[in-house]
Amino acid sequence: MRDCKRVFILGSTGSIGRNTLKVIEQFPERFKVVGLVAGRNREALQLQTEKFGPERSVLVAEEGLKAVKRALEEVEFDVAVCAITGSAGILPTYWAALKGARLALANKESLVCAGRFITEAAREIIPVDSEHSAIFQCLVGEKQREVEEIILTASGGPFREREDLESVTPQEALKHPNWKMGPKVTVDSATLMNKGLEVIEAFWLFKLPPERIKVVVHPQSVVHSLVRFTDQSVKAQLGVPDMRVPIAYALSFPERLPLGEELKLNLVGQKLEFYEPDTERFPCLKLAYRALEEGYPYPIILNAADEVAVELFLEGKIAFTKIPRLIEKTLESSNFKEPASVEEVVQIDKRARELARQVAKWL
């Protein structure tokens, strides 16, 4: 099968990983799974291994990161789907980039924390986040100098119209109105931090200054993002809110796969609304812009503090409204130097987490 792409999936048992396997299963003549990496879910990984027969499968909780690095070095692949949640995906994404394969990138934290190193190492990055995939698609065939701004859309999460945010429970925060995602990204969507991290990711992917990366709230999640050009025309990418669409695009680019009627968007009767984000009620977005403008190491600290804050919120140890407060205080309390390598990024991430846990005791 000359045109069959070999795919290595980092984070195979998570939401993106499972959807990637659904796409591959739909097109067995186009893709072959050669590697699977999962964090802790041994049972799910075993079932995937039995079904898809990869050359290598790694359970990080038992075998460690060194086994992941070895597998990436020893297995030949054309596409690495980078879908490990959080900063745990930084090193595996970087190692995959060094291999020279296409990165189908769903781990935004890799670029938030180590964008400089990963973009320098990578031969090709095709974003999987629906917003960045939309922008990428809108830019195909366009000239960079003619781009005025990119516009990321945000659903606004489940609390866009809720006044009392102090009493939000983890169970409520995990009920996203449009998307089915993992717990971390779902809470980030509720706080608008997900959009803040996407702004930083867009900075590295599309090489535009922060002031030309905009955010609008679009509750319907039908327009996935937009690009405004210098002649003031605007291109948008629309589709149903299903991650199989951007995953398939990243796997098959520059071709498109016939995904079927199930994912067809019905335009009749569609209502499309757009609003300014409320950064007073949801200050995480503003904090992300601040970290991006201040530069390294602040995006690393921002992400580390957010991961700690979300974890504490889901454990019932801090209130929903304390998430941005914890992040802001950690940023203000930090005193780290700019990293000179990916390994230093990981060290700063570790120390920033420790700092965030200390800050949490003061809130």
Side-chain angles (χ1 to χ4, degrees):
M1 293 185 287
R2 186 167 52 88
D3 296 324
C4 186
K5 288 181 180 174
R6 298 162 296 181
V7 182
F8 198 120
I9 305 175
L10 299 163
S12 66
T13 60
S15 175
I16 297 295
R18 291 173 189 268
N19 276 305
T20 300
L21 290 171
K22 287 180 183 178
V23 173
I24 290 173
E25 194 172 13
Q26 190 175 347
F27 300 95
E29 74 288 352
R30 299 291 303 271
F31 307 105
K32 175 176 172 54
V33 177
V34 296
L36 296 172
V37 170
R40 302 181 195 85
N41 196 333
R42 180 196 299 168
E43 183 179 350
L45 179 62
Q46 185 175 345
L47 290 172
Q48 291 175 347
T49 301
E50 291 171 357
K51 185 171 186 177
F52 292 94
E55 296 175 29
R56 195 73 57 85
S57 60
V58 179
L59 187 65
V60 179
E62 294 181 2
E63 301 175 70
L65 277 177
K66 286 185 179 179
V68 177
K69 186 178 183 184
R70 245 187 341 266
L72 287 166
E73 289 171 346
E74 294 173 2
V75 175
E76 293 302 316
F77 54 92
D78 304 298
V79 183
V81 177
C82 304
I84 295 174
T85 302
S87 58
I90 294 171
L91 285 174
T93 299
Y94 180 65
W95 295 330
L98 291 175
K99 193 68 177 281
R102 170 184 293 179
L103 299 187
L105 187 65
N107 173 254
K108 63 178 67 66
E109 292 86 356
S110 295
L111 291 192
V112 168
C113 298
R116 178 183 303 162
F117 307 105
I118 288 172
T119 54
E120 286 175 358
R123 177 184 64 82
E124 180 185 37
I125 301 176
I126 311 291
V128 168
D129 273 347
S130 63
E131 296 82 0
H132 301 86
S133 175
I135 293 166
F136 184 92
Q137 292 180 57
C138 289
L139 290 175
V140 170
E142 301 288 353
K143 297 180 177 65
Q144 176 79 9
R145 67 176 182 272
E146 294 176 352
V147 175
E148 181 168 300
E149 62 183 16
I150 58 179
I151 305 166
L152 299 165
T153 57
S155 70
F159 310 127
R160 185 173 62 88
E161 297 179 336
R162 177 166 167 167
E163 292 299 324
D164 174 27
L165 296 177
E166 192 73 36
S167 62
V168 166
T169 67
Q171 291 73 25
E172 291 172 324
L174 290 172
K175 292 178 181 177
H176 195 280
N178 300 333
W179 295 91
K180 292 180 180 178
M181 306 177 291
K184 166 65 165 56
V185 68
T186 305
V187 175
D188 279 349
S189 179
T191 65
L192 285 192
M193 178 55 87
N194 189 50
K195 213 50 51 180
L197 297 177
E198 287 177 3
V199 167
I200 302 174
E201 182 183 7
F203 170 80
W204 290 108
L205 285 171
F206 305 114
K207 312 301 183 187
L208 289 176
E211 63 272 15
R212 290 168 62 191
I213 304 172
K214 304 293 176 63
V215 173
V216 296
V217 173
H218 169 52
Q220 292 78 25
S221 295
V222 170
V223 177
H224 295 305
S225 278
L226 314 92
V227 178
R228 187 190 308 277
F229 296 92
T230 50
D231 63 357
Q232 299 309 312
S233 65
V234 177
K235 285 173 72 173
Q237 188 264 335
L238 286 71
V240 296
D242 191 299
M243 288 307 299
R244 285 174 291 174
V245 178
I247 289 168
Y249 187 79
L251 290 175
S252 64
F253 178 81
E255 299 177 64
R256 291 183 183 272
L257 298 174
L259 291 176
E261 294 290 312
E262 177 191 353
L263 298 178
K264 187 174 183 178
L265 174 66
N266 183 9
L267 291 170
V268 176
Q270 281 287 352
K271 183 179 181 182
L272 303 179
E273 299 172 299
F274 301 93
Y275 304 95
E276 286 287 338
D278 186 346
T279 55
E280 295 305 314
R281 295 177 63 236
F282 301 97
C284 283
L285 179 57
K286 191 161 48 177
L287 291 172
Y289 271 105
R290 192 172 102 192
L292 177 57
E293 287 161 0
E294 292 183 9
Y296 277 139
Y298 290 100
I300 308 170
I301 302 161
L302 174 93
N303 181 73
D306 177 57
E307 290 193 16
V308 169
V310 170
E311 181 184 325
L312 293 175
F313 167 68
L314 290 175
E315 292 173 353
K317 295 178 180 177
I318 64 171
F320 181 79
T321 51
K322 290 288 179 67
I323 293 175
R325 186 73 176 146
L326 173 54
I327 296 166
E328 183 176 26
K329 285 298 180 183
T330 304
L331 286 168
E332 292 172 353
S333 305
S334 63
N335 185 26
F336 303 126
K337 294 181 180 179
E338 182 176 339
S341 67
V342 173
E343 290 74 22
E344 287 188 15
V345 168
V346 174
Q347 286 303 310
I348 292 170
D349 171 72
K350 181 180 178 181
R351 291 165 56 203
R353 287 166 186 276
E354 294 168 356
L355 176 60
R357 292 192 181 280
Q358 289 298 316
V359 170
K361 297 176 183 177
W362 309 335
L363 293 180

